[in-house]
Amino acid sequence: MAETMVEAPAVKTSFVDEVCSVPGGEAIRSCIQCGMCTGSCPTANNWDYQPRRVIAMVRAGFREELLSSNSMWFCASCYTCTVRCPRDIKPADIMHALEVLAVRSGLSTKQSRTPVMYQCFVDSARGNGRVYELGMMIKLFLKTNPFAAIKLAPVGLGLFLHGRLPLRPTRIKGMKELKAIMDKAKKLGGAK
Amino acid sequence: MKYYSYYPGCSAEATATPLGLSVLPVARALDIDLVELEDWNCCGSTPYNSVNKLEAGAMAARNLALAEKTGLDLVTPCSNCYVVLTSVNTHLKELPDFREKVNEALAAGNLTYDGGVKVRHLAEVLYTDITPEGISSKVTNPLEGLKVASYYGCQLVRPNGFDDPESPHSLDELVASLGAEAVPWELKARCCGSSLIMPEPNVALGLINKLLKNAQERGAQCLVTPCPLCQINLDAYQSQVNSKFNTSYNLPVLFVTQLIGVALGIPAKELALSKNIVSPMGVLAPYL
């Protein structure tokens, strides 16, 4: 009994600290578990663990369970939780911090296509300096479910026929400088 | 004439082309000089900030550094760019370690950022600087009889918008300043599912259906929004909602600049009205 009581806090502390260390995750300790976030969330029904429980799990040290879940990937960044939270812990920012940690630790779930989409977006933004939406969409479907693209083809065609889906990416002039900035940021490592 | 540094955002040049195109003639008509930020890059958006904070911060900060040189407020018509640039700007002010590292990265591109830029949303500029009264005084085609549902979406008003985060009113006032009727409706600042439409279409389509249903029940003939992603979800995916939920919505979704432009007498072509997927030409015909 005494042994577990000594060991457990060490695990708990490190996951909370890890979340606190990501910009936006700092205030997680102030949560009072009122559930306003879960009650306000438009997508909570789809989460493996709903927002309030996510916060509780961070503080209880359930790192692997949480980072490999689909939960935070369903956050649509509507910030309703954030403006309603009575403790100002910024739940949406905490979800983004958890996404960062899931990516960093290689635990991102395969059950949601969102992590793949985010990575496709990042690659596109880094590659041209601006996001190339058509290229990103094609890459997402090739990497996840090419058949899902068939269902969405009419939407893509509609956008294309209305001149809203250019076939070529736009590239910024300062790619060399942007690449130098981004390479340096990468070298400087995880943001604290 | 009022001067601003202008940050269109990636979508204004692609999926939100009607926004990118309609902003310019409307700004001219309202004596707003939007000086496009030279060689701006992607703000990083929510995805980059959910993958790596420092890289995302550096990417956004390049724009802030370029804008700082102009000495003007940085104005974007995109709600997501607005939230992301604002959030990075705040983190740079409040987190010294983050600021130091981002500036170290910027130095590799011969840039530096001192935190002096004010990021603003175009809708806020229209409401606060130009004001509904100022716009009203320039209306040549009052939109009398047109029932409009003002759809704020999320990121214009949350987490740090200029209007009430739960029950905003600024767009309604702008709509009213054009002579149109802003219909009251409950879901005007609820989520459309944003980019979940791609990875999780069933979730987003359900949310879009709720919004369209509410706007239609309250008598709206069209919706108006400032947000690129909201517009695409409600406009381009409306047919998918109809197939999935066996509905028959035919609700045009206009960018706020498009609706203002019509009331200011700007030709339909300059407002890119033909680029909306659900055609607004029927409901706008009396005013064109």
Side-chain angles (χ1 to χ4, degrees):
Chain A
M1 184 68 188
E3 255 183 27
T4 51
M5 284 187 75
V6 171
E7 276 176 21
V11 176
K12 288 174 194 169
T13 315
S14 78
F15 190 27
V16 172
D17 280 345
E18 206 180 357
V19 173
C20 282
S21 75
V22 182
E26 301 89 354
I28 191 166
R29 283 194 174 86
S30 306
C31 173
I32 53 168
Q33 289 288 294
C34 70
M36 178 61 90
C37 47
T38 297
S40 303
C41 178
T43 66
N45 288 345
N46 303 280
W47 299 33
D48 285 339
Y49 313 108
Q50 298 192 339
R52 175 179 63 172
R53 189 162 173 198
V54 166
I55 311 289
M57 286 174 75
V58 171
R59 300 198 302 190
F62 289 95
R63 186 176 188 276
E64 194 156 329
E65 290 89 336
L66 190 54
L67 294 185
S68 60
S69 77
N70 72 13
S71 290
M72 54 280 184
W73 299 105
F74 272 104
C75 171
S77 306
C78 78
Y79 296 98
T80 309
C81 55
T82 301
V83 297
R84 290 181 181 175
C85 175
R87 300 291 291 164
D88 203 16
I89 71 160
K90 302 187 169 68
D93 286 354
I94 289 171
M95 299 312 152
H96 299 154
L98 289 168
E99 289 163 340
V100 167
L101 295 176
V103 172
R104 196 187 288 170
S105 55
L107 288 169
S108 306
T109 177
K110 304 271 184 296
Q111 304 306 311
S112 163
R113 286 189 287 262
T114 311
V116 183
M117 187 196 84
Y118 282 8
Q119 192 57 52
C120 293
F121 185 101
V122 167
D123 293 345
S124 181
R126 281 197 65 145
N128 295 305
R130 290 191 192 164
V131 167
Y132 177 45
E133 293 166 303
L134 178 61
M136 181 189 72
M137 287 178 213
I138 291 172
K139 207 167 150 193
L140 169 67
F141 286 117
L142 288 178
K143 281 191 166 186
T144 54
N145 179 5
F147 296 104
I150 297 168
K151 227 176 158 182
L152 286 178
V155 175
L157 187 64
L159 286 167
F160 173 72
L161 291 175
H162 287 78
R164 294 171 64 167
L165 216 48
L167 297 177
R168 286 161 167 272
T170 309
R171 179 174 273 247
I172 66 165
K173 285 180 277 175
M175 261 324 286
K176 207 177 120 196
E177 289 78 12
L178 179 65
K179 192 175 177 303
I181 292 169
M182 300 310 290
D183 287 348
K184 184 70 182 177
K186 194 172 187 179
K187 208 176 279 178
L188 289 168
K192 287 197 171 177
Chain B
M1 188 68 93
K2 290 189 164 71
Y3 297 87
Y4 304 90
S5 189
Y6 180 56
Y7 181 86
C10 302
S11 61
E13 297 190 330
T15 48
T17 300
L19 173 66
L21 293 176
S22 61
V23 162
L24 305 172
V26 168
R28 267 196 304 276
L30 294 173
D31 294 326
I32 304 171
D33 195 345
L34 298 175
V35 186
E36 186 167 332
L37 186 67
E38 175 78 23
D39 208 35
W40 56 272
N41 57 265
C42 171
C43 69
S45 185
T46 307
Y48 217 146
N49 281 280
S50 298
V51 170
N52 186 307
K53 292 282 182 195
L54 184 59
E55 290 179 36
M59 186 163 245
R62 177 175 177 271
N63 297 307
L64 296 170
L66 291 172
E68 197 168 41
K69 291 184 190 177
T70 70
L72 300 168
D73 286 356
L74 185 63
V75 171
T76 177
C78 171
S79 303
N80 188 235
C81 296
Y82 170 62
V83 161
V84 168
L85 293 170
T86 303
S87 159
V88 170
N89 210 16
T90 308
H91 287 154
L92 288 170
K93 276 195 192 105
E94 293 175 355
L95 309 171
D97 187 46
F98 183 68
R99 178 171 63 236
E100 196 179 309
K101 283 184 173 162
V102 165
N103 258 319
E104 210 176 324
L106 284 178
N110 301 317
L111 288 170
T112 178
Y113 181 56
D114 288 331
V117 172
K118 191 171 176 196
V119 179
R120 302 179 66 191
H121 195 293
L122 179 67
E124 189 233 324
V125 168
L126 291 172
Y127 182 74
T128 311
D129 296 7
I130 312 303
T131 75
E133 296 74 29
I135 294 173
S136 179
S137 70
K138 294 194 170 159
V139 167
T140 55
N141 298 353
L143 307 179
E144 275 159 25
L146 185 66
K147 294 184 171 188
V148 181
S150 306
Y151 180 50
Y152 296 77
C154 299
Q155 300 184 340
L156 173 67
V157 292
R158 291 186 299 270
N160 35 25
F162 64 101
D163 201 341
D164 188 298
E166 300 275 357
S167 186
H169 52 83
S170 52
L171 278 184
D172 293 80
E173 288 181 47
L174 287 173
V175 165
S177 77
L178 309 175
E181 182 189 336
V183 299
W185 64 304
E186 296 87 332
L187 302 184
K188 62 182 179 180
R190 291 298 278 170
C191 181
C192 73
S194 75
S195 65
L196 287 180
I197 193 70
M198 275 188 282
E200 304 290 348
N202 288 336
V203 174
L205 289 173
L207 296 173
I208 298 167
N209 181 38
K210 282 186 192 173
L211 295 170
L212 294 171
K213 181 168 184 275
N214 187 222
Q216 182 152 294
E217 279 174 357
R218 296 302 176 207
Q221 295 168 276
C222 64
L223 291 100
V224 66
T225 184
C227 175
L229 207 46
C230 295
Q231 200 279 343
I232 293 154
N233 279 2
L234 269 61
D235 182 24
Y237 287 86
Q238 204 171 114
S239 60
Q240 298 263 314
V241 171
N242 282 337
S243 344
K244 186 173 167 62
F245 297 97
N246 202 21
T247 48
S248 52
Y249 302 116
N250 184 31
L251 281 170
V253 186
L254 293 148
F255 283 109
V256 65
T257 42
Q258 290 183 300
L259 194 71
I260 293 174
V262 172
L264 297 180
I266 296 168
K269 198 173 172 208
E270 285 184 52
L271 299 171
L273 293 177
S274 64
K275 292 187 186 291
N276 291 44
I277 308 291
V278 178
S279 174
M281 299 315 270
V283 297
L284 294 179
Y287 316 102
L288 291 170

